[in-house]
Amino acid sequence: MPALVVAGNWKMNTTISDAVALAAGIRDGAASAQGVDDVELVLCPPFVCLAAVRQAVEGSAVKVGAQNMHFQDSGAFTGEVSPGMLQGLCDYVILGHSERRQLFGENDEAVNSKIKAAQAAGLKPILCVGESLAHREAGSASDIISGQVRAGLEGVSDCSGLIVAYEPIWAIGTGQAATPETAAEIMGGAIFETLRNLFSAGADDISLLYGGSVNGGNAGEFAAQDCVHGALVGGASLQAEQFLQVAVAVAAAKD
Ligand code: PEP
């Protein structure tokens, strides 16, 4: 089975001191939370909090990730952060989140360049894919998702360390999570089949996360699906206790 992973996307929340307090709460709570030893916890704070969060979790098993990254090494890209700048600050990087795609015009081509640049820099990409409500209602969710996976990973030959998160746009921040069956249909279907086509047996080791209104109450139902290996958590990752409840539920479902 692929590694179990619960990642928290803090989005544009937390000052540096908020971030340190949250990271410390998760670090301390994780030490005694049931089964959480078996789950890779990844905290993804804003860029400006990465160094402080890294320091706060040092010596623990808790990992750090960035929420985005440019694909160029350096240059005239005002406001951007390069892969090399993240080296040593984090192990993971979320790429292609739907908010990046929708609000900042990020397309599949850019996501693909970012995945390659992250891997070249030794960062583990968390590739996010997800369909809109309009696409779901039109019956094209599977086609959209396989297209995003294929385009995002075009020319990528090494899938070690790669994570794919299925985050239906209509479920993000709405309190309306997908049903576990809907998630499993896409994750075990469009996503896994596309990964199999791209990476053959290597696909069997890729962790697939569900994201979209995940909390401690529903995480276990998602993780009970064979093709779900954890969660990408937004709102519920901003409270240490709630985030750890998700991890406990994932661990229990896979026990
Ligand atoms: C997200 O933005 O990655 C996310 C899953 O958000 P939420 O859990 O708040 O729906």
Side-chain angles (χ1 to χ4, degrees), residues 9 11 97-99 128 167 171-175 211-214 232-236:
N9 175 11
K11 309 195 187 190
H97 190 280
S98 63
E99 287 154 15
C128 298
E167 298 206 305
I172 294 182
T174 60
S213 298
V214 172
L232 179 52
V233 189

